[in-house]
Amino acid sequence: MFIETRIQQQAKLDLSGSVAPFELPLPDMPAHVWASPDTLRSRFHLEAARYFECESVLAVTGIESGISALARLFQTWYGAMRVVLAEPSFDQWDKRFRRANHVVLDWPVDLILAGDIPECDVVVLGRPVNPTCQMIGIKQIKPLARRLREQGGWLILDEAYLDWTGEESYASFIEAEPAIVLRSVAPFSGLAGANLAFVCGPKAVCTALLNEVGTQAVSSPQWWLALQYFEAERWREDQLQRLADVCVRLEALWRERLGATVEIYKGGYFISFEHPNNDRWATRLEELGVLVRTYASEACILRCGVPKNEADWLRLGKAIKALDV
């Protein structure tokens, strides 16, 4: 007796991440890249200094690798430090600094910008803040960086999502007002598997971090990818417009459910908003096969990424319409 059992399970639509839906087009990688690490590394340092307008740039295998390396380096240099995370923030800052035995305190970003900062050695600040998309200007950053360095501490700026804003990076101001800046390739390039990020900082910091992560951490193909990313100036200009357009479309899709009074933040690769129903909506969307992300706050923040194709747009639209008020 033959029994055929068919189990059909539709894959979930994962919109919980924050990566652009449009990918940086890459040429075929030449085979000689594998055998040319020294040449590629030298080219990288020249192009990175030009791109970031910063003398010292260290490539690392993803933003989390850079966070871990900084946490370990600070433990080596200073021992356990008091670290203030401007909330909301990327959860890996909390996890990895605690893992390195630092004392971590969450603190509202608005209080930090107002100068109301508890005694600490390090302040970690998103620029822009994820997921509220709050943009913090260079003029606000400089005095904070100066204050911390005068006290023997550090300001760390998480600029992983800066590219979609078109704003100037703080990396070019590091020499005058020292701080540490982290950048990432994946979000803006749409290459979710790029696993490549950069730490911009004073030379002593980048040199020590290189000893922490090791000279072989970044592979030849990653050096090559970094160079492609730096050179894609025209593509980046077009990408800014594409992202602006899809965020307007995503806002309109949610506006039908939210009404006219709820403020929606557009973040290039996602939108986010505060609403008392967000926890319930996120659960219901998951039941409908759509994954979004929520952040704890007074009214709860829901972040929804941008779909990649028309079928996904249609699927999200149907799921949003199925939500109760």
Side-chain angles (χ1 to χ4, degrees), residues 25 31 41 47 55 58 98 110 131 157 169 190 225 247 298-299 313 315 319:
R41 186 183 296 111
E47 291 301 317
E55 180 182 354
L58 177 70
R98 289 184 189 277
D110 291 335
L157 296 172
S169 171
L225 173 59
C247 275
E298 290 184 8
W313 278 102
R315 187 174 175 185

Side-chain angles (χ1 to χ4, degrees), residues 141-303:
I141 297 297
K142 284 184 175 181
L144 180 57
R146 185 185 312 119
R147 171 182 168 184
L148 286 164
R149 284 310 297 141
E150 288 173 351
Q151 298 172 352
W154 289 98
L155 172 64
I156 302 176
L157 296 172
D158 184 344
E159 290 187 349
Y161 296 133
L162 183 74
D163 295 87
W164 68 262
T165 69
E167 295 283 341
E168 186 176 17
S169 171
Y170 190 81
S172 59
F173 299 94
I174 284 174
E175 299 301 322
E177 305 288 353
I180 300 169
V181 175
L182 274 71
R183 301 288 298 273
S184 181
V185 168
F188 190 69
S189 72
L191 302 173
N195 204 29
L196 181 65
F198 312 102
V199 181
C200 305
K203 187 174 182 179
V205 172
C206 288
T207 300
L209 281 175
L210 178 60
N211 293 330
E212 193 68 46
V213 300
T215 57
Q216 304 300 316
V218 176
S219 67
S220 294
Q222 287 175 305
W223 295 121
W224 177 82
L225 173 59
L227 293 171
Q228 305 304 310
Y229 186 68
F230 295 155
E231 292 170 2
E233 294 182 7
R234 177 58 184 274
W235 177 85
R236 281 197 296 274
E237 294 176 2
D238 295 340
Q239 182 78 327
L240 287 174
Q241 186 59 55
R242 285 189 292 264
L243 293 174
D245 292 343
V246 293
C247 275
V248 169
R249 181 179 179 181
L250 187 57
E251 177 186 17
L253 198 63
W254 273 100
R255 184 61 70 189
E256 295 181 15
R257 171 57 60 205
L258 295 172
T261 59
V262 175
E263 184 176 6
I264 295 179
Y265 312 108
K266 294 188 286 290
Y269 332 115
F270 60 86
I271 65 161
S272 63
F273 51 85
E274 288 186 293
H275 195 280
N277 290 345
N278 278 344
D279 275 328
R280 184 154 46 87
W281 283 350
T283 300
R284 178 58 179 149
L285 285 171
E286 184 173 2
E287 293 172 352
L288 295 169
V290 178
L291 302 179
V292 294
R293 184 167 182 178
T294 58
Y295 297 77
S297 68
E298 290 184 8
C300 183
I301 298 174
L302 184 147
R303 189 184 76 185

Side-chain angles (χ1 to χ4, degrees), residues 58 60 62-79 81 83 92-93 96-102 122-125 154-159 179-183 197-202 204-213:
L58 177 70
V60 292
I63 199 80
E64 294 180 17
S65 175
I67 295 171
S68 291
L70 280 169
R72 295 194 305 268
L73 175 63
F74 284 169
Q75 179 62 237
T76 301
W77 275 4
Y78 306 109
M81 303 180 77
V83 180
Q92 292 300 318
W93 286 105
R96 294 176 185 265
F97 268 78
R98 289 184 189 277
R99 191 176 298 169
N101 296 318
H102 298 291
V122 178
V123 172
V124 179
L125 189 62
W154 289 98
L155 172 64
I156 302 176
L157 296 172
D158 184 344
E159 290 187 349
I180 300 169
V181 175
L182 274 71
R183 301 288 298 273
F198 312 102
V199 181
C200 305
V205 172
C206 288
T207 300
L209 281 175
L210 178 60
N211 293 330
E212 193 68 46
V213 300

Side-chain angles (χ1 to χ4, degrees), residues 49-120:
R50 177 193 64 81
Y51 182 80
F52 293 112
E53 298 182 15
C54 177
E55 180 182 354
S56 299
V57 181
L58 177 70
V60 292
T61 54
I63 199 80
E64 294 180 17
S65 175
I67 295 171
S68 291
L70 280 169
R72 295 194 305 268
L73 175 63
F74 284 169
Q75 179 62 237
T76 301
W77 275 4
Y78 306 109
M81 303 180 77
R82 287 177 58 85
V83 180
V84 167
L85 296 183
E87 284 295 300
S89 66
F90 182 37
D91 58 4
Q92 292 300 318
W93 286 105
D94 184 277
K95 292 179 181 178
R96 294 176 185 265
F97 268 78
R98 289 184 189 277
R99 191 176 298 169
N101 296 318
H102 298 291
V103 178
V104 179
L105 176 65
D106 297 333
W107 204 249
V109 62
D110 291 335
L111 291 183
I112 292 174
L113 295 178
D116 182 4
I117 307 173
E119 182 179 347
C120 65

